[in-house]
Amino acid sequence: MSKGRALVTGGAGFVGSHLCDALLADGYSVVAMDNLLTGRLANLEHLRKEPRFEFVQQDVSEPFDSGTVEYVFHFASPASPVDYAAHGIPTLKVGSLGTFNSLEVAKKYGAGFFLASTSECYGDPLEHPQKETYWGHVNPIGPRSVYDEAKRFAEATTMAYLRYHKVNTHIVRIFNTYGPRMQINDGRVIPNFMRQALRGEGLTIYGDGSQTRSFCYVEDEVEGILRLSRAEEHLPVNIGNPNEFTILECAQRVLAVTGSKSQLRYEGLPQDDPKQRRPDISKAKRLLAWEPKVDLESGLRKSLEYFRQAVGAEVSPRT
Ligand code: UDP
């Protein structure tokens, strides 16, 4: 069925570009907006000839008007710890000013609004697994605060537009997501390990590798996001894969999938690195009848060709 226009801020990013594909498949016309600070046009190259797709280069931290839209998906933000450390102030601005500007567009056109929030709202959590009702344990002045607090502020702003302006808002808390189109050098654990394994270099384990993460394949993540966008739920919903791995186990999976003989290389643990992270997804299961289907090993296999090509095409390695 044909639908109206959907705006995706951060549409040239990793998750944003997969969301553009899913919205087009769902019948929307899609406007992807991105300032290309960490997003890449290569992620949208396959849509260049799609008549229902347009790209607008725009920093959404500056006021903008996209024209009539039916839905605003606010996904713009640096999202890897290396990227938001490098771009701290733009990260704070896009979570705050960018969220206001995107909500103003939704309000102006009577559109739905969807915020991409994050498991980082829980910080280094003292409650495990993390339910949506947990308020978190965040260092407000540490190196990760530019992202964590920007997203917490973005959630507060979104709830305020729901309460004061009756905008039809939705909030997803995205947990570690991986798959094709991740930037090979964005510093996150899966691209780092895939790249190191494929180049035969040591896999960099920060700390002793006992910290945990729960990795969600991007197709599963986007399916959860689409379902939430159609639901009558305004409070945050966790979308992630609850299968939890230590970083050492993650390294072993990458070595198995790539067939690499790389060794492990131990390095210092970054400040405030969360010790454990795992979503409680009972709310998503109940409300959306959603749960992830792709386990870590299958997801890594599905991503292998992309990472191989990205490593092959690399000209000037950043890390
Ligand atoms: N990590 C690691 N080696 C790397 C990159 C990351 O051991 O080369 C660890 C990092 O310290 C963290 C986890 O992997 O505990 C996930 O890091 P990532 O940057 O992917 O995202 P985060 O979940 O911390 O936002």
PDB file of all heavy atoms in Angstrom, residues 92 95-96 99 115-124 134-140 144-160 171 173 236:
ATOM      1  N   LEU A  92      26.198  16.308  21.414  1.00  0.00           N
ATOM      2  CA  LEU A  92      25.289  16.975  22.360  1.00  0.00           C
ATOM      3  C   LEU A  92      24.245  17.805  21.607  1.00  0.00           C
ATOM      4  O   LEU A  92      23.067  17.827  21.977  1.00  0.00           O
ATOM      5  CB  LEU A  92      26.085  17.892  23.294  1.00  0.00           C
ATOM      6  CG  LEU A  92      26.817  17.179  24.429  1.00  0.00           C
ATOM      7  CD1 LEU A  92      27.909  18.072  25.015  1.00  0.00           C
ATOM      8  CD2 LEU A  92      25.830  16.756  25.524  1.00  0.00           C
ATOM      9  N   GLY A  95      21.498  15.599  19.788  1.00  0.00           N
ATOM     10  CA  GLY A  95      20.562  14.995  20.738  1.00  0.00           C
ATOM     11  C   GLY A  95      19.614  16.026  21.341  1.00  0.00           C
ATOM     12  O   GLY A  95      18.475  15.707  21.686  1.00  0.00           O
ATOM     13  N   SER A  96      20.071  17.257  21.464  1.00  0.00           N
ATOM     14  CA  SER A  96      19.242  18.306  22.082  1.00  0.00           C
ATOM     15  C   SER A  96      18.575  19.159  20.999  1.00  0.00           C
ATOM     16  O   SER A  96      17.390  18.968  20.681  1.00  0.00           O
ATOM     17  CB  SER A  96      20.104  19.155  23.023  1.00  0.00           C
ATOM     18  OG  SER A  96      21.246  19.653  22.339  1.00  0.00           O
ATOM     19  N   THR A  99      16.906  17.188  18.229  1.00  0.00           N
ATOM     20  CA  THR A  99      15.643  16.557  18.628  1.00  0.00           C
ATOM     21  C   THR A  99      14.525  17.606  18.636  1.00  0.00           C
ATOM     22  O   THR A  99      13.422  17.347  18.134  1.00  0.00           O
ATOM     23  CB  THR A  99      15.792  15.868  19.998  1.00  0.00           C
ATOM     24  OG1 THR A  99      16.865  14.933  19.900  1.00  0.00           O
ATOM     25  CG2 THR A  99      14.523  15.139  20.406  1.00  0.00           C
ATOM     26  N   LEU A 115      11.920   8.409  18.077  1.00  0.00           N
ATOM     27  CA  LEU A 115      13.286   8.707  18.531  1.00  0.00           C
ATOM     28  C   LEU A 115      14.112   7.439  18.636  1.00  0.00           C
ATOM     29  O   LEU A 115      13.723   6.485  19.319  1.00  0.00           O
ATOM     30  CB  LEU A 115      13.257   9.394  19.908  1.00  0.00           C
ATOM     31  CG  LEU A 115      14.638   9.621  20.544  1.00  0.00           C
ATOM     32  CD1 LEU A 115      15.442  10.673  19.768  1.00  0.00           C
ATOM     33  CD2 LEU A 115      14.503  10.037  22.010  1.00  0.00           C
ATOM     34  N   ALA A 116      15.289   7.464  17.991  1.00  0.00           N
ATOM     35  CA  ALA A 116      16.273   6.396  18.216  1.00  0.00           C
ATOM     36  C   ALA A 116      17.043   6.734  19.482  1.00  0.00           C
ATOM     37  O   ALA A 116      17.907   7.597  19.488  1.00  0.00           O
ATOM     38  CB  ALA A 116      17.225   6.306  17.025  1.00  0.00           C
ATOM     39  N   SER A 117      16.677   6.079  20.568  1.00  0.00           N
ATOM     40  CA  SER A 117      17.447   6.229  21.798  1.00  0.00           C
ATOM     41  C   SER A 117      18.328   4.987  21.956  1.00  0.00           C
ATOM     42  O   SER A 117      18.527   4.236  20.995  1.00  0.00           O
ATOM     43  CB  SER A 117      16.512   6.446  22.989  1.00  0.00           C
ATOM     44  OG  SER A 117      17.276   6.709  24.148  1.00  0.00           O
ATOM     45  N   THR A 118      18.839   4.770  23.144  1.00  0.00           N
ATOM     46  CA  THR A 118      19.940   3.815  23.269  1.00  0.00           C
ATOM     47  C   THR A 118      19.999   3.156  24.645  1.00  0.00           C
ATOM     48  O   THR A 118      19.602   3.756  25.646  1.00  0.00           O
ATOM     49  CB  THR A 118      21.284   4.553  23.013  1.00  0.00           C
ATOM     50  OG1 THR A 118      22.364   3.740  23.452  1.00  0.00           O
ATOM     51  CG2 THR A 118      21.368   5.867  23.770  1.00  0.00           C
ATOM     52  N   SER A 119      20.571   1.994  24.678  1.00  0.00           N
ATOM     53  CA  SER A 119      20.865   1.314  25.940  1.00  0.00           C
ATOM     54  C   SER A 119      21.828   2.133  26.798  1.00  0.00           C
ATOM     55  O   SER A 119      21.944   1.897  27.999  1.00  0.00           O
ATOM     56  CB  SER A 119      21.478  -0.053  25.657  1.00  0.00           C
ATOM     57  OG  SER A 119      22.638   0.088  24.868  1.00  0.00           O
ATOM     58  N   GLU A 120      22.542   3.091  26.169  1.00  0.00           N
ATOM     59  CA  GLU A 120      23.449   3.947  26.951  1.00  0.00           C
ATOM     60  C   GLU A 120      22.695   4.758  27.995  1.00  0.00           C
ATOM     61  O   GLU A 120      23.292   5.275  28.939  1.00  0.00           O
ATOM     62  CB  GLU A 120      24.220   4.895  26.035  1.00  0.00           C
ATOM     63  CG  GLU A 120      25.301   4.230  25.218  1.00  0.00           C
ATOM     64  CD  GLU A 120      26.519   3.813  26.037  1.00  0.00           C
ATOM     65  OE1 GLU A 120      26.868   4.483  27.022  1.00  0.00           O
ATOM     66  OE2 GLU A 120      27.112   2.784  25.683  1.00  0.00           O
ATOM     67  N   CYS A 121      21.381   4.905  27.831  1.00  0.00           N
ATOM     68  CA  CYS A 121      20.585   5.601  28.860  1.00  0.00           C
ATOM     69  C   CYS A 121      20.707   4.883  30.200  1.00  0.00           C
ATOM     70  O   CYS A 121      20.484   5.485  31.244  1.00  0.00           O
ATOM     71  CB  CYS A 121      19.110   5.650  28.449  1.00  0.00           C
ATOM     72  SG  CYS A 121      18.824   6.813  27.126  1.00  0.00           S
ATOM     73  N   TYR A 122      21.029   3.588  30.177  1.00  0.00           N
ATOM     74  CA  TYR A 122      21.183   2.833  31.424  1.00  0.00           C
ATOM     75  C   TYR A 122      22.597   2.963  31.987  1.00  0.00           C
ATOM     76  O   TYR A 122      22.870   2.480  33.087  1.00  0.00           O
ATOM     77  CB  TYR A 122      20.858   1.348  31.195  1.00  0.00           C
ATOM     78  CG  TYR A 122      19.470   1.098  30.633  1.00  0.00           C
ATOM     79  CD1 TYR A 122      19.279   0.445  29.417  1.00  0.00           C
ATOM     80  CD2 TYR A 122      18.348   1.530  31.332  1.00  0.00           C
ATOM     81  CE1 TYR A 122      18.002   0.217  28.909  1.00  0.00           C
ATOM     82  CE2 TYR A 122      17.066   1.304  30.830  1.00  0.00           C
ATOM     83  CZ  TYR A 122      16.907   0.653  29.618  1.00  0.00           C
ATOM     84  OH  TYR A 122      15.650   0.444  29.125  1.00  0.00           O
ATOM     85  N   GLY A 123      23.528   3.559  31.221  1.00  0.00           N
ATOM     86  CA  GLY A 123      24.905   3.755  31.692  1.00  0.00           C
ATOM     87  C   GLY A 123      25.597   2.435  31.981  1.00  0.00           C
ATOM     88  O   GLY A 123      25.464   1.466  31.225  1.00  0.00           O
ATOM     89  N   ASP A 124      26.338   2.404  33.094  1.00  0.00           N
ATOM     90  CA  ASP A 124      26.993   1.174  33.564  1.00  0.00           C
ATOM     91  C   ASP A 124      25.998   0.565  34.561  1.00  0.00           C
ATOM     92  O   ASP A 124      26.012   0.883  35.743  1.00  0.00           O
ATOM     93  CB  ASP A 124      28.320   1.548  34.241  1.00  0.00           C
ATOM     94  CG  ASP A 124      29.157   0.321  34.585  1.00  0.00           C
ATOM     95  OD1 ASP A 124      28.746  -0.819  34.241  1.00  0.00           O
ATOM     96  OD2 ASP A 124      30.206   0.495  35.221  1.00  0.00           O
ATOM     97  N   TYR A 134      14.057   0.802  34.482  1.00  0.00           N
ATOM     98  CA  TYR A 134      15.299   1.132  35.198  1.00  0.00           C
ATOM     99  C   TYR A 134      15.782   2.528  34.782  1.00  0.00           C
ATOM    100  O   TYR A 134      15.849   2.826  33.586  1.00  0.00           O
ATOM    101  CB  TYR A 134      16.353   0.060  34.880  1.00  0.00           C
ATOM    102  CG  TYR A 134      17.698   0.313  35.522  1.00  0.00           C
ATOM    103  CD1 TYR A 134      17.808   0.621  36.877  1.00  0.00           C
ATOM    104  CD2 TYR A 134      18.867   0.242  34.761  1.00  0.00           C
ATOM    105  CE1 TYR A 134      19.040   0.853  37.453  1.00  0.00           C
ATOM    106  CE2 TYR A 134      20.102   0.462  35.331  1.00  0.00           C
ATOM    107  CZ  TYR A 134      20.184   0.770  36.680  1.00  0.00           C
ATOM    108  OH  TYR A 134      21.404   1.010  37.258  1.00  0.00           O
ATOM    109  N   TRP A 135      16.095   3.378  35.765  1.00  0.00           N
ATOM    110  CA  TRP A 135      16.470   4.766  35.459  1.00  0.00           C
ATOM    111  C   TRP A 135      17.933   4.933  35.087  1.00  0.00           C
ATOM    112  O   TRP A 135      18.359   6.004  34.674  1.00  0.00           O
ATOM    113  CB  TRP A 135      16.136   5.688  36.645  1.00  0.00           C
ATOM    114  CG  TRP A 135      14.673   5.886  36.835  1.00  0.00           C
ATOM    115  CD1 TRP A 135      13.662   5.415  36.043  1.00  0.00           C
ATOM    116  CD2 TRP A 135      14.033   6.613  37.892  1.00  0.00           C
ATOM    117  NE1 TRP A 135      12.439   5.791  36.538  1.00  0.00           N
ATOM    118  CE2 TRP A 135      12.642   6.530  37.682  1.00  0.00           C
ATOM    119  CE3 TRP A 135      14.507   7.324  39.005  1.00  0.00           C
ATOM    120  CZ2 TRP A 135      11.721   7.137  38.535  1.00  0.00           C
ATOM    121  CZ3 TRP A 135      13.594   7.926  39.856  1.00  0.00           C
ATOM    122  CH2 TRP A 135      12.211   7.824  39.612  1.00  0.00           C
ATOM    123  N   GLY A 136      18.730   3.910  35.307  1.00  0.00           N
ATOM    124  CA  GLY A 136      20.101   3.961  34.820  1.00  0.00           C
ATOM    125  C   GLY A 136      21.116   4.428  35.840  1.00  0.00           C
ATOM    126  O   GLY A 136      20.788   4.877  36.943  1.00  0.00           O
ATOM    127  N   HIS A 137      22.370   4.306  35.447  1.00  0.00           N
ATOM    128  CA  HIS A 137      23.518   4.612  36.307  1.00  0.00           C
ATOM    129  C   HIS A 137      24.563   5.250  35.399  1.00  0.00           C
ATOM    130  O   HIS A 137      25.460   4.590  34.886  1.00  0.00           O
ATOM    131  CB  HIS A 137      24.014   3.292  36.938  1.00  0.00           C
ATOM    132  CG  HIS A 137      25.188   3.448  37.833  1.00  0.00           C
ATOM    133  ND1 HIS A 137      26.330   2.699  37.686  1.00  0.00           N
ATOM    134  CD2 HIS A 137      25.402   4.249  38.901  1.00  0.00           C
ATOM    135  CE1 HIS A 137      27.190   3.026  38.626  1.00  0.00           C
ATOM    136  NE2 HIS A 137      26.656   3.971  39.367  1.00  0.00           N
ATOM    137  N   VAL A 138      24.363   6.551  35.155  1.00  0.00           N
ATOM    138  CA  VAL A 138      25.147   7.262  34.141  1.00  0.00           C
ATOM    139  C   VAL A 138      26.054   8.278  34.809  1.00  0.00           C
ATOM    140  O   VAL A 138      25.620   9.016  35.696  1.00  0.00           O
ATOM    141  CB  VAL A 138      24.194   7.977  33.141  1.00  0.00           C
ATOM    142  CG1 VAL A 138      24.969   8.877  32.193  1.00  0.00           C
ATOM    143  CG2 VAL A 138      23.388   6.957  32.348  1.00  0.00           C
ATOM    144  N   ASN A 139      27.325   8.313  34.377  1.00  0.00           N
ATOM    145  CA  ASN A 139      28.227   9.377  34.816  1.00  0.00           C
ATOM    146  C   ASN A 139      27.929  10.612  33.964  1.00  0.00           C
ATOM    147  O   ASN A 139      28.185  10.609  32.766  1.00  0.00           O
ATOM    148  CB  ASN A 139      29.673   8.915  34.619  1.00  0.00           C
ATOM    149  CG  ASN A 139      30.669  10.000  34.994  1.00  0.00           C
ATOM    150  OD1 ASN A 139      30.284  11.134  35.278  1.00  0.00           O
ATOM    151  ND2 ASN A 139      31.944   9.650  35.003  1.00  0.00           N
ATOM    152  N   PRO A 140      27.390  11.681  34.572  1.00  0.00           N
ATOM    153  CA  PRO A 140      26.953  12.828  33.758  1.00  0.00           C
ATOM    154  C   PRO A 140      28.088  13.690  33.241  1.00  0.00           C
ATOM    155  O   PRO A 140      27.857  14.574  32.405  1.00  0.00           O
ATOM    156  CB  PRO A 140      26.060  13.622  34.724  1.00  0.00           C
ATOM    157  CG  PRO A 140      26.564  13.278  36.084  1.00  0.00           C
ATOM    158  CD  PRO A 140      27.091  11.870  36.007  1.00  0.00           C
ATOM    159  N   ARG A 144      31.729   9.457  28.170  1.00  0.00           N
ATOM    160  CA  ARG A 144      30.571   8.971  27.406  1.00  0.00           C
ATOM    161  C   ARG A 144      29.354   9.876  27.577  1.00  0.00           C
ATOM    162  O   ARG A 144      28.325   9.667  26.933  1.00  0.00           O
ATOM    163  CB  ARG A 144      30.183   7.550  27.866  1.00  0.00           C
ATOM    164  CG  ARG A 144      31.262   6.513  27.614  1.00  0.00           C
ATOM    165  CD  ARG A 144      30.880   5.164  28.190  1.00  0.00           C
ATOM    166  NE  ARG A 144      30.088   4.366  27.279  1.00  0.00           N
ATOM    167  CZ  ARG A 144      30.565   3.380  26.510  1.00  0.00           C
ATOM    168  NH1 ARG A 144      31.832   3.056  26.541  1.00  0.00           N
ATOM    169  NH2 ARG A 144      29.757   2.698  25.717  1.00  0.00           N
ATOM    170  N   SER A 145      29.467  10.874  28.485  1.00  0.00           N
ATOM    171  CA  SER A 145      28.278  11.662  28.828  1.00  0.00           C
ATOM    172  C   SER A 145      27.754  12.458  27.644  1.00  0.00           C
ATOM    173  O   SER A 145      26.557  12.742  27.572  1.00  0.00           O
ATOM    174  CB  SER A 145      28.573  12.587  30.005  1.00  0.00           C
ATOM    175  OG  SER A 145      29.562  13.532  29.654  1.00  0.00           O
ATOM    176  N   VAL A 146      28.628  12.814  26.688  1.00  0.00           N
ATOM    177  CA  VAL A 146      28.148  13.599  25.533  1.00  0.00           C
ATOM    178  C   VAL A 146      27.071  12.829  24.770  1.00  0.00           C
ATOM    179  O   VAL A 146      26.163  13.411  24.183  1.00  0.00           O
ATOM    180  CB  VAL A 146      29.295  13.992  24.572  1.00  0.00           C
ATOM    181  CG1 VAL A 146      30.209  15.025  25.233  1.00  0.00           C
ATOM    182  CG2 VAL A 146      30.105  12.772  24.113  1.00  0.00           C
ATOM    183  N   TYR A 147      27.174  11.530  24.770  1.00  0.00           N
ATOM    184  CA  TYR A 147      26.170  10.693  24.076  1.00  0.00           C
ATOM    185  C   TYR A 147      25.046  10.312  25.027  1.00  0.00           C
ATOM    186  O   TYR A 147      23.868  10.519  24.723  1.00  0.00           O
ATOM    187  CB  TYR A 147      26.870   9.451  23.539  1.00  0.00           C
ATOM    188  CG  TYR A 147      25.992   8.553  22.679  1.00  0.00           C
ATOM    189  CD1 TYR A 147      25.447   9.010  21.482  1.00  0.00           C
ATOM    190  CD2 TYR A 147      25.733   7.231  23.056  1.00  0.00           C
ATOM    191  CE1 TYR A 147      24.665   8.176  20.687  1.00  0.00           C
ATOM    192  CE2 TYR A 147      24.957   6.399  22.269  1.00  0.00           C
ATOM    193  CZ  TYR A 147      24.427   6.871  21.083  1.00  0.00           C
ATOM    194  OH  TYR A 147      23.660   6.043  20.304  1.00  0.00           O
ATOM    195  N   ASP A 148      25.425   9.774  26.195  1.00  0.00           N
ATOM    196  CA  ASP A 148      24.413   9.259  27.127  1.00  0.00           C
ATOM    197  C   ASP A 148      23.434  10.355  27.540  1.00  0.00           C
ATOM    198  O   ASP A 148      22.215  10.172  27.511  1.00  0.00           O
ATOM    199  CB  ASP A 148      25.076   8.700  28.393  1.00  0.00           C
ATOM    200  CG  ASP A 148      26.055   7.574  28.112  1.00  0.00           C
ATOM    201  OD1 ASP A 148      26.362   7.336  26.931  1.00  0.00           O
ATOM    202  OD2 ASP A 148      26.520   6.938  29.073  1.00  0.00           O
ATOM    203  N   GLU A 149      23.994  11.505  27.940  1.00  0.00           N
ATOM    204  CA  GLU A 149      23.116  12.571  28.429  1.00  0.00           C
ATOM    205  C   GLU A 149      22.347  13.225  27.286  1.00  0.00           C
ATOM    206  O   GLU A 149      21.214  13.667  27.468  1.00  0.00           O
ATOM    207  CB  GLU A 149      23.909  13.613  29.223  1.00  0.00           C
ATOM    208  CG  GLU A 149      24.522  13.051  30.503  1.00  0.00           C
ATOM    209  CD  GLU A 149      23.495  12.635  31.569  1.00  0.00           C
ATOM    210  OE1 GLU A 149      22.287  12.564  31.279  1.00  0.00           O
ATOM    211  OE2 GLU A 149      23.926  12.363  32.711  1.00  0.00           O
ATOM    212  N   ALA A 150      22.946  13.273  26.096  1.00  0.00           N
ATOM    213  CA  ALA A 150      22.218  13.830  24.945  1.00  0.00           C
ATOM    214  C   ALA A 150      20.995  12.966  24.655  1.00  0.00           C
ATOM    215  O   ALA A 150      19.895  13.471  24.383  1.00  0.00           O
ATOM    216  CB  ALA A 150      23.129  13.902  23.719  1.00  0.00           C
ATOM    217  N   LYS A 151      21.168  11.648  24.731  1.00  0.00           N
ATOM    218  CA  LYS A 151      20.043  10.753  24.441  1.00  0.00           C
ATOM    219  C   LYS A 151      19.015  10.791  25.570  1.00  0.00           C
ATOM    220  O   LYS A 151      17.815  10.691  25.322  1.00  0.00           O
ATOM    221  CB  LYS A 151      20.542   9.327  24.214  1.00  0.00           C
ATOM    222  CG  LYS A 151      21.278   9.146  22.886  1.00  0.00           C
ATOM    223  CD  LYS A 151      20.348   9.296  21.686  1.00  0.00           C
ATOM    224  CE  LYS A 151      21.036   8.909  20.382  1.00  0.00           C
ATOM    225  NZ  LYS A 151      20.162   9.077  19.201  1.00  0.00           N
ATOM    226  N   ARG A 152      19.471  10.932  26.802  1.00  0.00           N
ATOM    227  CA  ARG A 152      18.509  11.042  27.911  1.00  0.00           C
ATOM    228  C   ARG A 152      17.714  12.341  27.766  1.00  0.00           C
ATOM    229  O   ARG A 152      16.495  12.368  27.960  1.00  0.00           O
ATOM    230  CB  ARG A 152      19.239  10.946  29.261  1.00  0.00           C
ATOM    231  CG  ARG A 152      19.717   9.518  29.553  1.00  0.00           C
ATOM    232  CD  ARG A 152      20.731   9.462  30.675  1.00  0.00           C
ATOM    233  NE  ARG A 152      20.177   9.819  31.959  1.00  0.00           N
ATOM    234  CZ  ARG A 152      19.777   8.929  32.900  1.00  0.00           C
ATOM    235  NH1 ARG A 152      19.876   7.629  32.687  1.00  0.00           N
ATOM    236  NH2 ARG A 152      19.308   9.351  34.039  1.00  0.00           N
ATOM    237  N   PHE A 153      18.415  13.409  27.387  1.00  0.00           N
ATOM    238  CA  PHE A 153      17.738  14.691  27.144  1.00  0.00           C
ATOM    239  C   PHE A 153      16.756  14.548  25.968  1.00  0.00           C
ATOM    240  O   PHE A 153      15.632  15.064  26.006  1.00  0.00           O
ATOM    241  CB  PHE A 153      18.788  15.761  26.839  1.00  0.00           C
ATOM    242  CG  PHE A 153      18.224  17.137  26.668  1.00  0.00           C
ATOM    243  CD1 PHE A 153      18.088  17.990  27.756  1.00  0.00           C
ATOM    244  CD2 PHE A 153      17.818  17.599  25.420  1.00  0.00           C
ATOM    245  CE1 PHE A 153      17.556  19.268  27.604  1.00  0.00           C
ATOM    246  CE2 PHE A 153      17.285  18.866  25.260  1.00  0.00           C
ATOM    247  CZ  PHE A 153      17.161  19.704  26.346  1.00  0.00           C
ATOM    248  N   ALA A 154      17.172  13.822  24.935  1.00  0.00           N
ATOM    249  CA  ALA A 154      16.302  13.611  23.764  1.00  0.00           C
ATOM    250  C   ALA A 154      15.029  12.868  24.184  1.00  0.00           C
ATOM    251  O   ALA A 154      13.924  13.187  23.714  1.00  0.00           O
ATOM    252  CB  ALA A 154      17.051  12.824  22.683  1.00  0.00           C
ATOM    253  N   GLU A 155      15.167  11.904  25.076  1.00  0.00           N
ATOM    254  CA  GLU A 155      13.972  11.185  25.558  1.00  0.00           C
ATOM    255  C   GLU A 155      13.062  12.146  26.328  1.00  0.00           C
ATOM    256  O   GLU A 155      11.837  12.136  26.159  1.00  0.00           O
ATOM    257  CB  GLU A 155      14.371  10.004  26.459  1.00  0.00           C
ATOM    258  CG  GLU A 155      14.997   8.850  25.710  1.00  0.00           C
ATOM    259  CD  GLU A 155      15.018   7.552  26.522  1.00  0.00           C
ATOM    260  OE1 GLU A 155      14.467   7.517  27.648  1.00  0.00           O
ATOM    261  OE2 GLU A 155      15.580   6.560  26.016  1.00  0.00           O
ATOM    262  N   ALA A 156      13.669  12.982  27.182  1.00  0.00           N
ATOM    263  CA  ALA A 156      12.868  13.936  27.972  1.00  0.00           C
ATOM    264  C   ALA A 156      12.126  14.911  27.038  1.00  0.00           C
ATOM    265  O   ALA A 156      10.948  15.229  27.247  1.00  0.00           O
ATOM    266  CB  ALA A 156      13.775  14.699  28.933  1.00  0.00           C
ATOM    267  N   THR A 157      12.825  15.372  26.006  1.00  0.00           N
ATOM    268  CA  THR A 157      12.224  16.314  25.055  1.00  0.00           C
ATOM    269  C   THR A 157      11.066  15.652  24.312  1.00  0.00           C
ATOM    270  O   THR A 157       9.995  16.250  24.119  1.00  0.00           O
ATOM    271  CB  THR A 157      13.301  16.789  24.049  1.00  0.00           C
ATOM    272  OG1 THR A 157      14.451  17.208  24.782  1.00  0.00           O
ATOM    273  CG2 THR A 157      12.805  17.935  23.184  1.00  0.00           C
ATOM    274  N   THR A 158      11.282  14.412  23.913  1.00  0.00           N
ATOM    275  CA  THR A 158      10.239  13.672  23.185  1.00  0.00           C
ATOM    276  C   THR A 158       9.002  13.499  24.067  1.00  0.00           C
ATOM    277  O   THR A 158       7.866  13.722  23.621  1.00  0.00           O
ATOM    278  CB  THR A 158      10.810  12.308  22.738  1.00  0.00           C
ATOM    279  OG1 THR A 158      11.952  12.563  21.908  1.00  0.00           O
ATOM    280  CG2 THR A 158       9.790  11.489  21.959  1.00  0.00           C
ATOM    281  N   MET A 159       9.217  13.135  25.317  1.00  0.00           N
ATOM    282  CA  MET A 159       8.076  12.973  26.239  1.00  0.00           C
ATOM    283  C   MET A 159       7.366  14.314  26.457  1.00  0.00           C
ATOM    284  O   MET A 159       6.134  14.356  26.608  1.00  0.00           O
ATOM    285  CB  MET A 159       8.539  12.380  27.572  1.00  0.00           C
ATOM    286  CG  MET A 159       8.995  10.925  27.508  1.00  0.00           C
ATOM    287  SD  MET A 159       7.818   9.781  26.763  1.00  0.00           S
ATOM    288  CE  MET A 159       6.472   9.823  27.956  1.00  0.00           C
ATOM    289  N   ALA A 160       8.123  15.409  26.452  1.00  0.00           N
ATOM    290  CA  ALA A 160       7.502  16.730  26.639  1.00  0.00           C
ATOM    291  C   ALA A 160       6.622  17.090  25.440  1.00  0.00           C
ATOM    292  O   ALA A 160       5.534  17.649  25.610  1.00  0.00           O
ATOM    293  CB  ALA A 160       8.585  17.780  26.855  1.00  0.00           C
ATOM    294  N   ILE A 171       9.609   5.918  21.304  1.00  0.00           N
ATOM    295  CA  ILE A 171      11.034   5.906  21.681  1.00  0.00           C
ATOM    296  C   ILE A 171      11.538   4.466  21.707  1.00  0.00           C
ATOM    297  O   ILE A 171      11.013   3.631  22.450  1.00  0.00           O
ATOM    298  CB  ILE A 171      11.249   6.517  23.090  1.00  0.00           C
ATOM    299  CG1 ILE A 171      10.751   7.971  23.142  1.00  0.00           C
ATOM    300  CG2 ILE A 171      12.717   6.416  23.505  1.00  0.00           C
ATOM    301  CD1 ILE A 171      10.806   8.606  24.538  1.00  0.00           C
ATOM    302  N   ARG A 173      14.876   2.075  22.551  1.00  0.00           N
ATOM    303  CA  ARG A 173      16.240   2.004  23.106  1.00  0.00           C
ATOM    304  C   ARG A 173      16.948   0.865  22.377  1.00  0.00           C
ATOM    305  O   ARG A 173      16.637  -0.312  22.595  1.00  0.00           O
ATOM    306  CB  ARG A 173      16.208   1.777  24.619  1.00  0.00           C
ATOM    307  CG  ARG A 173      15.670   3.005  25.346  1.00  0.00           C
ATOM    308  CD  ARG A 173      15.923   2.957  26.832  1.00  0.00           C
ATOM    309  NE  ARG A 173      15.371   4.148  27.469  1.00  0.00           N
ATOM    310  CZ  ARG A 173      14.669   4.132  28.611  1.00  0.00           C
ATOM    311  NH1 ARG A 173      14.480   2.995  29.258  1.00  0.00           N
ATOM    312  NH2 ARG A 173      14.202   5.254  29.113  1.00  0.00           N
ATOM    313  N   PRO A 236       9.433   4.325  26.350  1.00  0.00           N
ATOM    314  CA  PRO A 236      10.540   3.632  25.677  1.00  0.00           C
ATOM    315  C   PRO A 236      10.362   2.115  25.642  1.00  0.00           C
ATOM    316  O   PRO A 236       9.817   1.517  26.579  1.00  0.00           O
ATOM    317  CB  PRO A 236      11.752   3.993  26.544  1.00  0.00           C
ATOM    318  CG  PRO A 236      11.372   5.237  27.251  1.00  0.00           C
ATOM    319  CD  PRO A 236       9.891   5.165  27.474  1.00  0.00           C
TER     320      PRO A 236
END
